[in-house]
């Protein structure tokens, strides 16, 4: 098990996590995010380019505001 202490409020962390369009700035393996259907929330779709994989559409399936979200491709 690994843990990391983040020096930010839960609200600040959520703002980063939920800002899918900026993932390429924070995640080297994600090279491009194109919003297909917005706004962010269940049913939103993002087209991602991820190193080593084919471009794919990711659909947000569940959101618990301020806590977590799930998506599928």
């Amino acid at each position: 098990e690994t843990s990391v202490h983040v020096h930010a409020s839960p609200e600040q962390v959520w703002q980063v996590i939920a800002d899918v369009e900026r993932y390429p700035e924070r995640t080297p393996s994600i090279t491009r995010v194109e919003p297909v259907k917005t706004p962010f929330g269940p049913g939103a779709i993002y087209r991602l380019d991820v190193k080593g994989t084919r471009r794919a559409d990711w659909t947000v399936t569940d959101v618990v505001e301020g806590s977590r979200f799930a998506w599928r491709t």
Side-chain angles (χ1 to χ4, degrees):
E1 184 175 315
T2 302
S3 63
V4 176
H5 182 76
V6 177
H7 296 281
S9 70
E11 294 80 15
Q12 290 170 313
V13 173
W14 176 250
Q15 287 177 355
V16 171
I17 297 300
D19 191 358
V20 175
E21 294 178 48
R22 294 187 64 191
Y23 278 16
E25 297 172 25
R26 301 180 183 102
T27 308
S29 62
I30 298 175
T31 58
R32 181 171 181 253
V33 174
E34 174 188 343
V36 175
K37 182 180 176 189
T38 57
F40 177 80
I45 301 171
Y46 298 90
R47 185 162 294 138
L48 273 69
D49 289 346
V50 180
K51 290 181 183 177
T53 67
R54 295 174 49 195
R55 177 177 292 163
D57 287 352
W58 290 74
T59 302
V60 177
T61 57
D62 184 45
V63 175
V64 176
E65 189 72 29
S67 177
R68 62 179 171 81
F69 78 93
W71 54 358
R72 65 174 167 74
T73 185

